Amino acid sequence: MKLSATVILVSDITKSTEFYKRVLFQRVLFNFGQNIAFEGGLALHLSDHFATLCNIDKNAISLTSHDFELYFEQKDFDSFINHLKSFNDVLLVHDVVEHAWGQRVIRFYDPDHHIIEVGECMETVVLRFIDQGMSMEETSIRTQHPITFIQNALLARKK
């Protein structure tokens, strides 16, 4: 068995589809009208339609939640932040923070207030630390990633 998709329920399929395409660069794989599948495994489903399919009361569906998040990674994090800040209608959970392990992240809401986190790829983080003069051992300790991960990031950069 394998996980095939992560499906989130939305109140307006068109608005949410456009948000994920414009803000997060998602590309539609299938458009079934009330259900949109993006490349990579994220899918949107119109909440009223989902309630009908599952034979549950549509009022039992709560779209605003703080009990999960969708997590994306971006190699060029600074470029993404500039892109994100060009949208006046995106509500931030918090601005950019740097975690103890060195990864920078930002969290914001989609149109139905699902939390989206975009984090800097850890390969980018380790390369940033190496470029700042940290040794592989120091980088490994700071990022909590093994030396082989750092070596692979360095090898990939050379290609």
Side-chain angles (χ1 to χ4, degrees), residues 71-113:
Y71 175 72
F72 295 83
E73 284 190 342
Q74 179 67 27
K75 283 187 179 187
D76 187 349
F77 187 74
D78 293 323
S79 177
F80 175 75
I81 294 303
N82 290 333
H83 167 75
L84 181 65
K85 293 197 174 186
S86 73
F87 298 98
N88 295 328
D89 57 342
V90 174
L91 178 62
L92 297 182
V93 175
H94 64 73
D95 209 340
V96 176
V97 296
E98 184 174 320
H99 290 300
W101 55 91
Q103 182 187 39
R104 298 177 296 159
V105 302
I106 191 166
R107 289 183 177 90
F108 51 94
Y109 294 104
D110 80 354
D112 288 295
H113 283 219

Side-chain angles (χ1 to χ4, degrees), residues 18-88:
E18 286 307 306
F19 173 88
Y20 281 90
K21 285 168 49 178
R22 287 182 314 115
V23 177
L24 292 162
F25 310 109
Q26 297 302 289
R27 295 192 323 207
V28 174
L29 181 62
F30 298 110
N31 182 341
F32 301 110
Q34 297 177 18
N35 185 346
I36 305 292
F38 293 107
E39 293 176 0
L42 175 64
L44 309 176
H45 203 130
L46 187 62
S47 62
D48 287 354
H49 184 256
F50 182 82
T52 301
L53 287 176
C54 295
N55 196 27
I56 59 175
D57 180 1
K58 69 179 182 180
N59 295 318
I61 296 173
S62 174
L63 295 178
T64 300
S65 69
H66 288 109
D67 60 355
F68 80 95
E69 70 177 15
L70 296 174
Y71 175 72
F72 295 83
E73 284 190 342
Q74 179 67 27
K75 283 187 179 187
D76 187 349
F77 187 74
D78 293 323
S79 177
F80 175 75
I81 294 303
N82 290 333
H83 167 75
L84 181 65
K85 293 197 174 186
S86 73
F87 298 98
N88 295 328

Side-chain angles (χ1 to χ4, degrees), residues 120-138:
E120 181 178 27
C121 292
M122 286 308 296
E123 291 88 351
T124 303
V125 175
V126 300
L127 292 173
R128 179 166 40 92
F129 287 160
I130 293 293
D131 291 345
Q132 291 172 354
M134 290 177 75
S135 69
M136 278 198 267
E137 292 77 15
E138 291 168 326

